[in-house]
Amino acid sequence: MARIMITSALPYINGIKHLGNLAGSMLPADVYARFQRMRGHEVLYICATDEHGTPAELAAAAAGQDVRAYCDEQHEIQKAIGERFALSWDYFGRTSSPENAGLTQHFAEVLEAKGLIAEIVEKQIYSKADKRFLPDRYVEGTCPHCGYEKARGDQCDNCGKLLEPTDLKDPYSTISGSRDLEVRDTRHLQLRQSQMEPRLRQWVDEATNWPQLARSIAYKWLDEGLRDRTITRDLSWGVKVTKDGAPREGFEDKVFYVWFDAPIGYIAATAEWAKATGQKDDAWERWWRTDKGAGDVSYVQFMGKDNVAFHTVSFPATILGSEEPWKLVDRLKAFNWLNWYGGKFSTSQKRGVFMDAALDLLPSDYWRWYLTSNAPEGSDTQFTWESFQGVINSDLANVLGNFVNRITKYCAAKFDGQVPATGTPGEAEAWIASELSERLKALSAHYEAMEYRKAAAETRAIWAAGNEYLTRAEPWVKYKSDVDAAAVGVRTGLNLAALFAIIAQPVIPDTAKKVLDALGVPDDRRSWPDWQDNTLLDALPHGHAITPPDVLFAKIEDASVEEWKARFGGE
């Protein structure tokens, strides 16, 4: 049994996430966690809300709430929506936890002792109207690289370039809109990433099992030359800056930069998990400290491409720079964008379908299947209502739903709802057994490689093979002249329905459970199938009672598509 730790990029606290956020981190991490649990491995899937930084303060102000109260409320909302999407986190923590504050302060002090953090004086934009220094996201202006007029002070959403607020042309305060800004001196802490460049490059060189997207982004940063980055901000909300365990003199009104403390939140959320589940205080260390048992852990991270640089350079600089025995990521799965009709989904601009609205339209399995089967792996992909309708109606309603409906209802009508015992397997059964042997092996390999589109396509192909089997076996035709021959077809079909639901569990867990419950498959018989198992087509006990489930998937009608396009937008 392997030990596998999984983290997905932390969803930011400023509102409900859109489908692009779900498709690029949380959902594929969940699918992988479910698959590996079915394989019998010890899996720990950790996530948390990312709660610090300027956007949280701005969102709280817009909502007329204290920032702590706002984050408390939004954390519960995001947790509840994630659970409704069947995201099987072992723990969903918070970066505003005491555990994260303590670990962040620990890392900063260790890095400073190693000579990798220095106190500097730098130029920062000060707003006379607001009577305060403006952190990067409190400043917007024109990007000096592409000319985008609403670039933020930390990054341009249009071209993706990382920025400093002083880089912007025609900057203004996002608090007051004032352009009465000036540059003043302010003291901050700076992480000397440049000193870590050789070690980071060696580490990336050794990461040969990362996808090309992740490695190319990491090398792009390294080849351009790592910049020393300021890791404190003039904000009140965040992890306080300390020195020798006490507030740092001159930094009483400053906090650590969100991108310094957020990745440490993975470790902290694991510590939260240990505490919340009543384990020993050091239980989390067996996952994160290689001197405490984490040496045999396989650590897998999931994220969108915009987060890759921070996970392949900035966070590793913290871990490696500490020279402490912390666990580093082994495999990193990065995703491109899921776009909305050619444009980006956007939380801040409320463009696209958001997770709560999606669940108001249809159950989570519809969305989970579509987003997995169209995962933005090799390139950006487009969400359109027409594509969504086509995939759901074809894959789920026609291929899977129709198969389960036909075979279970026929069994109820002709065999009293019991798995028939008579008849001898023939050519059709030999054919489907051969198909399953080949395709189940391929499906397992796709999941192990975290190739989601291929895994979904192989799953659908297995379902389609079941429909082809019924066409070949023709139990309804044979029943008229040879009940035993029909019994073989029905028995095999029922076992196929069970198998189809078992392999569907990682992606559409609610529907899979519905089918397996209807077929009376016990919980201990729902693990991942062995492609070499020659009993898969005769696993259900003879005489075992089954109940046809209700319709699994309703087809999406054209009228619904037109209604949703009018409501949420389309081309």
Side-chain angles (χ1 to χ4, degrees), residues 193-431:
Q193 291 185 144
S194 59
Q195 294 186 18
M196 290 293 297
E197 187 172 328
R199 192 169 178 188
L200 287 166
R201 185 177 291 276
Q202 178 185 352
W203 180 64
V204 175
D205 288 342
E206 294 169 354
T208 55
N209 60 347
W210 290 4
Q212 180 57 35
L213 176 64
R215 298 190 83 208
S216 64
I217 293 173
Y219 278 127
K220 182 176 183 294
W221 270 47
L222 291 167
D223 292 343
E224 290 177 353
L226 293 184
R227 297 168 61 183
D228 296 336
R229 300 287 293 183
T230 302
I231 60 166
T232 50
R233 293 291 187 270
D234 290 283
L235 292 170
S236 58
W237 174 241
V239 176
K240 298 300 183 182
V241 183
T242 59
K243 186 174 178 61
D244 300 324
R248 189 183 188 101
E249 184 178 353
F251 284 72
E252 294 84 359
D253 295 327
K254 303 177 193 288
V255 299
F256 284 105
Y257 178 38
V258 62
W259 260 112
F260 183 72
D261 86 79
I264 297 169
Y266 295 135
I267 307 174
T270 312
E272 286 185 73
W273 159 78
K275 181 179 179 180
T277 52
Q279 301 186 60
K280 294 180 179 178
D281 290 343
D282 61 352
W284 63 272
E285 293 181 326
R286 66 184 288 266
W287 292 95
W288 279 104
R289 298 273 305 200
T290 57
D291 60 338
K292 301 288 182 68
D296 65 347
V297 171
S298 176
Y299 177 23
V300 188
Q301 293 178 344
F302 291 83
M303 70 202 68
K305 61 184 177 183
D306 56 329
N307 286 334
V308 169
F310 296 103
H311 287 78
T312 59
V313 177
S314 299
F315 185 39
T318 297
I319 297 294
L320 291 169
S322 74
E323 298 181 13
E324 295 179 333
W326 296 100
K327 179 65 185 175
L328 284 158
V329 64
D330 296 296
R331 302 176 68 191
L332 188 152
K333 177 68 174 182
F335 290 84
N336 288 283
W337 300 129
L338 174 70
N339 288 325
W340 177 260
Y341 281 91
K344 289 183 180 179
F345 280 83
S346 172
T347 299
S348 59
Q349 298 180 34
K350 296 181 172 59
R351 184 190 301 125
V353 177
F354 287 70
M355 290 172 66
D356 57 341
L359 291 174
D360 289 340
L361 300 181
L362 292 165
S364 63
D365 280 356
Y366 288 69
W367 304 103
R368 288 176 63 103
W369 177 259
Y370 178 80
L371 295 175
T372 301
S373 62
N374 291 273
E377 292 176 299
S379 62
D380 292 350
T381 59
Q382 308 296 325
F383 179 96
T384 70
W385 289 115
E386 294 81 2
S387 170
F388 179 68
Q389 177 190 30
V391 168
I392 297 303
N393 289 354
S394 173
D395 295 359
L396 299 185
N398 289 345
V399 181
L400 176 61
N402 185 49
F403 178 90
V404 173
N405 179 68
R406 290 165 72 196
I407 197 64
T408 55
K409 286 192 173 181
Y410 192 74
C411 175
K414 300 298 184 181
F415 293 90
D416 299 324
Q418 296 181 358
V419 178
T422 58
T424 303
E427 290 184 7
E429 289 69 43
W431 173 82

Side-chain angles (χ1 to χ4, degrees), residues 29-185:
D30 176 72
V31 171
Y32 187 70
R34 288 177 178 275
F35 167 72
Q36 294 294 1
R37 291 189 192 111
M38 290 179 69
R39 300 273 279 184
H41 299 312
E42 183 182 5
V43 173
L44 184 67
Y45 175 21
I46 295 292
C47 194
T49 37
D50 179 3
E51 301 187 12
H52 294 141
T54 308
E57 289 194 348
L58 294 175
Q65 291 179 277
D66 168 77
V67 65
R68 164 62 74 176
Y70 173 82
C71 290
D72 289 345
E73 178 183 277
Q74 290 299 317
H75 171 80
E76 291 303 321
I77 290 172
Q78 291 201 29
K79 180 182 178 184
I81 292 175
E83 290 171 349
R84 288 175 63 199
F85 261 100
L87 299 178
S88 59
W89 301 305
D90 288 287
Y91 194 75
F92 188 66
R94 307 181 62 177
T95 61
S96 62
S97 69
E99 289 82 357
N100 196 43
L103 280 164
T104 299
Q105 291 161 350
H106 165 80
F107 275 110
E109 295 201 22
V110 169
L111 290 168
E112 186 170 16
K114 301 289 184 184
L116 292 172
I117 286 180
E119 188 172 316
I120 63 163
V121 175
E122 69 174 14
K123 305 293 185 182
Q124 189 169 336
I125 292 180
Y126 184 88
S127 169
K128 295 180 180 178
D130 302 312
K131 295 182 173 60
R132 60 175 291 174
F133 284 102
L134 298 180
D136 42 25
R137 285 207 176 192
Y138 278 42
V139 186
E140 290 185 357
T142 301
C143 175
H145 302 286
C146 70
Y148 181 57
E149 294 182 352
K150 289 182 67 66
R152 301 192 312 263
D154 62 341
Q155 187 172 20
C156 176
D157 277 343
N158 186 57
C159 69
K161 290 280 190 181
L162 295 180
L163 302 169
E164 297 290 345
T166 50
D167 295 336
L168 295 172
K169 299 178 180 178
D170 303 319
Y172 59 89
S173 165
T174 59
I175 300 173
S176 61
S178 172
R179 295 182 184 273
D180 188 11
L181 311 177
E182 65 182 26
V183 177
R184 293 186 181 180
D185 289 342

Side-chain angles (χ1 to χ4, degrees), residues 321-558:
S322 74
E323 298 181 13
E324 295 179 333
W326 296 100
K327 179 65 185 175
L328 284 158
V329 64
D330 296 296
R331 302 176 68 191
L332 188 152
K333 177 68 174 182
F335 290 84
N336 288 283
W337 300 129
L338 174 70
N339 288 325
W340 177 260
Y341 281 91
K344 289 183 180 179
F345 280 83
S346 172
T347 299
S348 59
Q349 298 180 34
K350 296 181 172 59
R351 184 190 301 125
V353 177
F354 287 70
M355 290 172 66
D356 57 341
L359 291 174
D360 289 340
L361 300 181
L362 292 165
S364 63
D365 280 356
Y366 288 69
W367 304 103
R368 288 176 63 103
W369 177 259
Y370 178 80
L371 295 175
T372 301
S373 62
N374 291 273
E377 292 176 299
S379 62
D380 292 350
T381 59
Q382 308 296 325
F383 179 96
T384 70
W385 289 115
E386 294 81 2
S387 170
F388 179 68
Q389 177 190 30
V391 168
I392 297 303
N393 289 354
S394 173
D395 295 359
L396 299 185
N398 289 345
V399 181
L400 176 61
N402 185 49
F403 178 90
V404 173
N405 179 68
R406 290 165 72 196
I407 197 64
T408 55
K409 286 192 173 181
Y410 192 74
C411 175
K414 300 298 184 181
F415 293 90
D416 299 324
Q418 296 181 358
V419 178
T422 58
T424 303
E427 290 184 7
E429 289 69 43
W431 173 82
I432 190 62
S434 176
E435 281 285 301
L436 291 177
S437 177
E438 178 182 335
R439 292 193 177 281
L440 287 174
K441 182 180 181 181
L443 177 58
S444 297
H446 294 323
Y447 272 128
E448 289 288 1
M450 297 182 288
E451 296 175 324
Y452 290 90
R453 293 171 75 101
K454 289 181 179 179
E458 197 66 61
T459 301
R460 185 191 186 282
I462 292 171
W463 296 342
N467 283 281
E468 173 64 20
Y469 166 75
L470 289 184
T471 299
R472 295 183 180 213
E474 297 182 307
W476 26 84
V477 174
K478 291 177 179 175
Y479 187 85
K480 299 172 184 177
S481 59
D482 188 344
V483 174
D484 286 350
V488 175
V490 172
R491 181 170 66 249
T492 303
L494 291 172
N495 279 283
L496 285 172
L499 177 64
F500 294 173
I502 287 171
I503 65 171
Q505 289 177 104
V507 185
I508 49 173
D510 292 343
T511 303
K513 184 179 186 304
K514 188 184 299 183
V515 174
L516 293 169
D517 287 350
L519 295 174
V521 178
D523 289 347
D524 63 357
R525 300 299 298 274
R526 299 183 183 188
S527 58
W528 192 257
D530 181 354
W531 62 272
Q532 296 174 304
D533 184 355
N534 57 13
T535 67
L536 292 176
L537 297 179
D538 200 17
L540 295 173
H542 297 176
H544 174 75
I546 66 98
T547 304
D550 294 334
V551 174
L552 299 180
F553 296 98
K555 284 193 172 183
I556 298 173
E557 303 297 336
D558 292 344

